[in-house]
Amino acid sequence: MRVAYICADPGVPVFGTKGSSVHVQEIVRAWGRAGADVTVYCVRAGNDRPADLTGLPVVERPPRKAEPAVRERAIEEAASSLADAALRNGCDLVYERYSLFSAALAMVAGALGVPAVLEVNAPLIEEQQRYRQLFDVGLAESMLRRNALAADAVACVSEPVLRWVKQRVPEARTVLAPNGVNTDRITARTWWQPSGQRAGHGRFTVAFTGTLKPWHGVPDLLESVALANADPERAGLWTVRIIGDGPGRPDLERLATRLGVETEFTGAVPPDSVPGLLHECDAAAAPYLQPAPGQDHYFSPLKVYEYLASGMPVIATALGQIPSIIEHGRTGLTVPAGDLAGFAAALNRLGADAALRERLGTQARAAAVEHHSWDGVLSLITAALASRQEVA
């Protein structure tokens, strides 16, 4: 089977360091393991191609340079160019990662009569309006509707995302397909060396991975570590390693300094470097913020899956999909969003109990292997596709 994978989002380099880039690469790998010949059509290829994807055919059509007000149309043109290339090359299935200004999936599926999958990872229209700038809302709404109606399966990563699609396109044939993790690429840490001694200073380190955006709650992590370190019995026990980069970094650096929390900022790193950086730490954190009233926590958090696969003891806020991923007390610890004292207590609980850290990490790894593979994610999507084709 020849699969045309389309990504027309300039914010998602196929070969990049962002979580969205990892997502693209892992779905492509899963298609490959399923026996498909994949060609990627994208507006931004990126420069960090993993060695195992060296032979992956990639067609890149960057949008022309344009002022912000007309850039949306430039992206739409680039997406149309990707569709033209896919039509010329031919395919047996088209799979598109949802983006704001592309109807490439509808164009390819309509012209070739092939099955189509639209993967939706976030309510991008609201994200764009809330955090960036969206000039042509009508264009974005029409692109979503065209692609969702043309798709045989609209794979949504969470229940809130699925509801968001259904609100706009009630006829869409949706399937819930949460994210997964590559447990071959993300290996488990070993526990032969006692935690807290890896860095050679007898202190513990809690890691965070991801882009430094407001919704990830990294300031809450720093505040929690400061609280944990204020415990007279655990004074100065915890340091922080932040693996990733983003627009929030300067503010986080200032906050860490003000709080007196020793914090290492690694910057953006290749995905293959992440497991090793995690393994040098003693815990991993996902301190998501409580959404504003009327908003949903719609993420299917890649970082949490990667923490589990790395065999890390995880502390996460109990929001959205997280309680279905982490079983409190068995594969990690969960605390209410915004409960900084609770987060600090969880840190000090881990710091005081080596057996707990090892047990949580070991069971987290087992859960990742058993329940959260990317092959399993793709199987959900292809099963939905097959059932709809049988009905048709």
Side-chain angles (χ1 to χ4, degrees), residues 8-136:
D9 189 338
V12 181
V14 171
F15 304 121
T17 59
K18 301 168 73 173
S20 53
S21 304
V22 171
H23 192 286
V24 172
Q25 294 167 25
E26 294 297 353
I27 287 292
V28 166
R29 289 186 178 105
W31 274 115
R33 287 191 295 272
D37 293 323
V38 183
T39 298
V40 170
Y41 300 84
C42 63
V43 296
R44 186 179 173 194
N47 301 314
D48 296 302
R49 185 187 284 246
D52 67 312
L53 297 179
T54 300
L56 177 70
V58 176
V59 177
E60 184 181 19
R61 298 285 188 273
R64 60 182 167 82
K65 293 183 179 178
E67 295 297 318
V70 293
R71 180 166 170 75
E72 295 168 357
R73 289 291 178 182
I75 297 170
E76 181 193 11
E77 293 166 6
S80 295
S81 178
L82 294 176
D84 289 341
L87 288 172
R88 283 195 299 274
N89 292 340
C91 66
D92 302 305
L93 183 145
V94 57
Y95 186 111
E96 179 160 8
R97 181 187 173 92
Y98 165 58
S99 59
L100 285 166
F101 310 113
S102 170
L105 176 144
M107 296 168 67
V108 175
L112 297 181
V114 297
V117 178
L118 179 66
E119 174 198 287
V120 184
N121 295 279
L124 292 184
I125 294 173
E126 278 78 359
E127 270 195 2
Q128 190 79 357
Q129 290 174 315
R130 189 176 304 137
Y131 299 111
R132 294 173 284 271
Q133 195 167 16
L134 181 59
F135 290 92
D136 194 340

Side-chain angles (χ1 to χ4, degrees), residues 45 140 179 191 227 246-247 267 328 383 386:
N179 285 329
W191 290 96
L227 283 175
H328 178 72

Side-chain angles (χ1 to χ4, degrees), residues 282-299:
D282 304 279
Y288 285 101
L289 299 177
Q290 181 72 46
Q295 298 177 14
D296 285 318
H297 183 85
Y298 53 80
F299 304 102

Side-chain angles (χ1 to χ4, degrees), residues 160-179:
V161 169
L162 191 152
R163 289 196 299 272
W164 181 79
V165 171
K166 279 291 193 184
Q167 286 166 0
R168 281 160 179 75
V169 191
E171 310 93 327
R173 291 165 284 193
T174 53
V175 56
L176 179 63
N179 285 329

Side-chain angles (χ1 to χ4, degrees), residues 223-237:
E223 297 272 6
S224 298
V225 169
L227 283 175
N229 287 344
D231 183 330
E233 296 183 3
R234 308 284 174 192
L237 182 66

Side-chain angles (χ1 to χ4, degrees), residues 78-330:
S80 295
S81 178
L82 294 176
D84 289 341
L87 288 172
R88 283 195 299 274
N89 292 340
C91 66
D92 302 305
L93 183 145
V94 57
Y95 186 111
E96 179 160 8
R97 181 187 173 92
Y98 165 58
S99 59
L100 285 166
F101 310 113
S102 170
L105 176 144
M107 296 168 67
V108 175
L112 297 181
V114 297
V117 178
L118 179 66
E119 174 198 287
V120 184
N121 295 279
L124 292 184
I125 294 173
E126 278 78 359
E127 270 195 2
Q128 190 79 357
Q129 290 174 315
R130 189 176 304 137
Y131 299 111
R132 294 173 284 271
Q133 195 167 16
L134 181 59
F135 290 92
D136 194 340
V137 178
L139 175 64
E141 294 278 6
S142 69
M143 295 292 105
L144 171 63
R145 184 166 179 79
R146 282 186 66 185
N147 270 354
L149 287 175
D152 297 282
V154 180
C156 303
V157 297
S158 69
E159 287 282 3
V161 169
L162 191 152
R163 289 196 299 272
W164 181 79
V165 171
K166 279 291 193 184
Q167 286 166 0
R168 281 160 179 75
V169 191
E171 310 93 327
R173 291 165 284 193
T174 53
V175 56
L176 179 63
N179 285 329
V181 66
N182 183 336
T183 54
D184 292 325
R185 184 175 62 81
I186 309 288
T187 56
R189 64 173 292 171
T190 57
W191 290 96
W192 60 269
Q193 186 176 8
S195 298
Q197 296 181 14
R198 291 171 183 274
H201 51 41
R203 299 171 70 190
F204 293 90
T205 302
V206 57
F208 168 87
T209 67
T211 307
L212 304 181
K213 298 286 184 64
W215 52 84
H216 284 140
V218 182
D220 276 11
L221 173 61
L222 296 175
E223 297 272 6
S224 298
V225 169
L227 283 175
N229 287 344
D231 183 330
E233 296 183 3
R234 308 284 174 192
L237 182 66
W238 285 96
T239 67
V240 178
R241 170 178 281 178
I242 294 177
I243 305 166
D245 212 339
R249 177 169 173 171
D251 287 341
L252 291 171
E253 289 175 331
R254 285 190 287 272
L255 178 61
T257 300
R258 180 171 64 79
L259 294 171
V261 173
E262 182 179 324
T263 304
E264 175 192 5
F265 293 84
T266 69
V269 302
D272 285 350
S273 300
V274 172
L277 290 168
L278 285 174
H279 294 164
E280 293 172 353
C281 300
D282 304 279
Y288 285 101
L289 299 177
Q290 181 72 46
Q295 298 177 14
D296 285 318
H297 183 85
Y298 53 80
F299 304 102
S300 182
L302 276 175
K303 65 171 59 55
V304 173
Y305 292 110
E306 294 193 348
Y307 294 161
L308 297 180
S310 298
M312 300 297 296
V314 184
I315 307 173
T317 46
L319 282 174
Q321 213 170 67
I322 288 175
S324 70
I325 305 170
I326 294 177
E327 184 179 345
H328 178 72
R330 199 182 78 81

